[in-house]
Amino acid sequence: MNDKVALLSFMSEIVSDPGNVLENWNSSDVHVCNWARVSCNNASDSVTELILNATWLSGTISPSLANLSSLTILDLSMNFFEGPIPKELGSLTQLKQLSLSWNFLEGKIPYHLGFLHKMVYLDLGSNKLQGEIPESLFCNGSLSLRYIDLTNNSLSGEIPFKNECGLENLSFLLLWSNRLVGHIPRALSNSTQLQWLDLESNMLTGELPSEIVLEMPRLQILYLSYNSFVSHHGNNNLEPFFASLVNCSDLKELKLAGNNLGGEIPPIVGDLSTNLLRLILSENLIHGFIPPHISNLANLNLLNLSSNLLNGSIPPELCRMGKLERVYLSNNSLSGEIPPVLGYVPHLGLLDLSRNKLSGPIPNSFANLPQLRSLILYQNQLTGTIPPSLGQCVNLEILDLSHNKISGVIPSEVAGLRSLKLYLNLSSNHLYGPLPLELSKMDMVLAIDLSYNNLIGTIPTQLKSCTALESLNLSHNFLEGPFPFSIGQLPYLQTLDVTSNQLIGEIPQSLQMSSSLKHVNFSFNKISGKVSIEGAFSLLTIDSFLGNDGLCGSIEGMPKCSNRHSHLMLILSVLLSLFSILILCIFGYCLVQKSRIQSQLEIFNGGDLDLKHPRIVRINL
């Protein structure tokens, strides 16, 4: 009965149960062991498990749960519980699993939880917990604890591991996204069974923990990104750290991004586990060449060396890594040509070589990459033309060749890539010729940027078929003719820039009527006509219309439209009226004269005379 009272007291703190999960807890006819999400020991009818994860419950966690003396599993994760973690839970001496993650719990972690000597699994991640991690949590003399997750909180202070801490069976330690400081404690090397160590996104300092990970041969996941670690020998030597990982034969992922690490990538990197799937060294100060030995990592599917100081050429040996799916080498100082052999990495889906000093042509061999989805080569010194063979990359979703020295026309094969879903960016090159009509086949693309080229001709009305388009930039070309009415009918178009072309005619009313358009620039064309501040143009300024002398309207800074047309119509109307009156007068005068002449002729011809008033008719011959 004590268990029933404890559960009912817990339920009384629940303020919302939208799924009616606890509905049968109110029934006096249902035994407590048959209540929803409750499990009992068959012999004693005592509650052993309370699993209410992902039930959308709201409220606070009642301390009465501490009266469930036989409880081994308490899982309240993925709900909306608020308030502190009750310190009374530290009296649940049989508890093996405590899961309170993904709630809105706040305050400090009670040090009383360190008294749970049978605890195997502890997950308090993704809450609003603050303060230091209680030392008792790591140093409670328990040999059973295997999983600790305190991620995504606001915990501060140092990691409270001491030499006497005996977490020898700890397999998972997840502390990412907190405010932890200091060094990784040397005592952590006592946890020789550790498989997953995630300390990302904290404020930890010191050298990379070579001596610590050397004692962790079972390590599979090591995440140390976004801290302030340095490499050995004054932040100039990465080799000791990579050497300490060579014996981790199960290592699958290594992330060291965003630490400002110095030194070169040592050739020994190729001696890491052949099970390694992801190697992320981005956002550091690593310099020198990419060692060809890295190609020994035959099962690597993600290589990220971006945002470093790497120089030299891209090693052709990368093509030996047949499992590669994503390669990020952007924002370095790599030079030379793009190795054509990269076109023979069968599973390559993303290649980002942007912001380097690469030269030469885009390899035709990229046509051999059927799974290529993102090809990002912007801001290099590439020359030649766009290979029409890229049109064979039928799964391509992103193509960015901007800010290079590429010339020639836009191949119709590339313009007709219906697979493009995100963006096509060919801006800031030396492309010429008309806009291909095949662009209208990109009915899923969100953005097209062809600005700063030498494109000519008119804007095709067929672009209205790009129904998903949100941004269109055709500025700084030599496009001419009127702006198509149909472009304004694109249902999701938000940004339009046609600055510095030779467009003529009026701005279509369809643009002003657009419900999605937010940013427009028609500056420096030959556009004329009236512009109002209604509809989509209500938030625009004169900056969107500069350099078009024929425009007038109510935009502040724009010439007001004169009433000369109305005045002319009024003058014409008056003149027309006067002309009509003149015609009527002439016509009336003619009728009168005609009548008089007819009367005189009648007298002359001897018509009836009024004898009482004789007249002398004199006709001068």
Side-chain angles (χ1 to χ4, degrees), residues 1 10 40 82 94 115-116 122 152 162 187 197 212 312 337 343 357 391-392 410 422 489 506 512 541 554 572 594:
M1 289 298 294
F10 165 75
C40 292
E82 300 176 333
Q94 303 302 311
F115 302 151
L116 301 174
L122 174 64
N152 198 24
K162 295 186 177 180
L197 177 59
I212 296 174
E337 296 189 358
K357 300 177 181 178
Q392 298 178 37
I410 302 174
L422 296 178
Q489 296 176 318
E506 297 186 355
Q512 192 160 336
T541 66
S554 48
L572 289 176
K594 181 180 180 182

Side-chain angles (χ1 to χ4, degrees), residues 194-391:
L194 207 62
Q195 300 176 31
W196 195 319
L197 177 59
D198 189 348
L199 305 178
E200 275 191 354
S201 300
N202 280 285
M203 295 180 281
L204 300 171
T205 56
E207 287 187 349
L208 290 172
S210 302
E211 295 180 356
I212 296 174
V213 298
L214 186 63
E215 304 296 329
M216 300 174 179
R218 300 186 63 182
L219 204 59
Q220 297 180 20
I221 306 293
L222 180 58
Y223 294 164
L224 301 178
S225 296
Y226 303 106
N227 283 283
S228 296
F229 294 119
V230 296
S231 63
H232 294 71
H233 303 148
N235 199 28
N236 199 41
N237 190 359
L238 287 165
E239 185 167 358
F241 179 70
F242 283 105
S244 68
L245 291 170
V246 168
N247 291 328
C248 298
S249 57
D250 295 324
L251 190 64
K252 295 180 180 179
E253 298 188 21
L254 175 60
K255 295 185 179 181
L256 302 175
N259 277 291
N260 293 320
L261 298 173
E264 298 183 359
I265 302 175
I268 199 172
V269 69
D271 296 333
L272 295 179
S273 170
T274 55
N275 292 316
L276 193 65
L277 301 177
R278 298 183 177 185
L279 177 60
I280 300 177
L281 307 178
S282 56
E283 298 178 64
N284 284 294
L285 300 174
I286 301 172
H287 59 272
F289 296 171
I290 300 174
H293 295 78
I294 202 170
S295 62
N296 293 341
L297 303 175
N299 289 304
L300 204 69
N301 61 46
L302 188 154
L303 175 63
N304 191 342
L305 307 179
S306 63
S307 298
N308 278 290
L309 304 174
L310 296 171
N311 52 33
S313 58
I314 300 173
E317 288 82 0
L318 292 183
C319 71
R320 299 176 186 172
M321 305 166 77
K323 300 292 183 64
L324 271 178
E325 297 176 3
R326 289 175 286 173
V327 176
Y328 301 87
L329 303 179
S330 62
N331 199 22
N332 282 287
S333 296
L334 299 172
S335 57
E337 296 189 358
I338 301 173
V341 291
L342 289 181
Y344 300 97
V345 181
H347 302 289
L348 194 61
L350 183 149
L351 180 61
D352 187 352
L353 307 179
S354 62
R355 301 181 69 183
N356 279 289
K357 300 177 181 178
L358 299 171
S359 57
I362 300 170
N364 277 300
S365 58
F366 286 167
N368 300 315
L369 299 173
Q371 298 186 39
L372 189 64
R373 284 176 166 78
S374 299
L375 180 59
I376 306 173
L377 305 178
Y378 72 86
Q379 207 164 321
N380 279 285
Q381 299 171 14
L382 300 175
T383 56
T385 60
I386 300 174
S389 57
L390 284 180

Side-chain angles (χ1 to χ4, degrees), residues 57 72 91 94 179 321 337 371 384 405 415 476 502 511 524 537 577 580 588 598:
L57 297 175
T72 59
S91 63
Q94 303 302 311
R179 300 174 183 174
M321 305 166 77
E337 296 189 358
Q371 298 186 39
K405 299 178 181 178
H476 297 276
Q502 299 175 10
L511 290 174
F524 302 104
F537 290 2
S577 299
S580 299
Q598 286 179 346

Side-chain angles (χ1 to χ4, degrees), residues 580-598:
S580 299
I581 293 172
L582 180 61
I583 293 298
L584 289 174
C585 291
I586 293 172
F587 183 71
Y589 176 77
C590 292
L591 288 178
V592 171
Q593 291 297 102
K594 181 180 180 182
S595 176
R596 288 179 178 178
I597 293 172
Q598 286 179 346

Side-chain angles (χ1 to χ4, degrees), residues 354-355 362 375-382 399-406 423-429 431 449 451 453:
S354 62
R355 301 181 69 183
I362 300 170
L375 180 59
I376 306 173
L377 305 178
Y378 72 86
Q379 207 164 321
N380 279 285
Q381 299 171 14
L382 300 175
L399 178 60
D400 194 339
L401 310 179
S402 61
H403 294 274
N404 280 286
K405 299 178 181 178
I406 301 170
Y423 63 86
L424 169 69
N425 193 344
L426 307 179
S427 65
S428 299
N429 279 289
L431 300 172
D449 190 347
S451 62
N453 280 289

Side-chain angles (χ1 to χ4, degrees), residues 455-459 478-483 501-504 525:
L455 301 171
I456 61 172
T458 60
I459 301 174
F478 297 95
L479 300 172
E480 56 189 9
F483 191 88
N501 280 284
Q502 299 175 10
L503 300 176
I504 62 173
N525 281 281

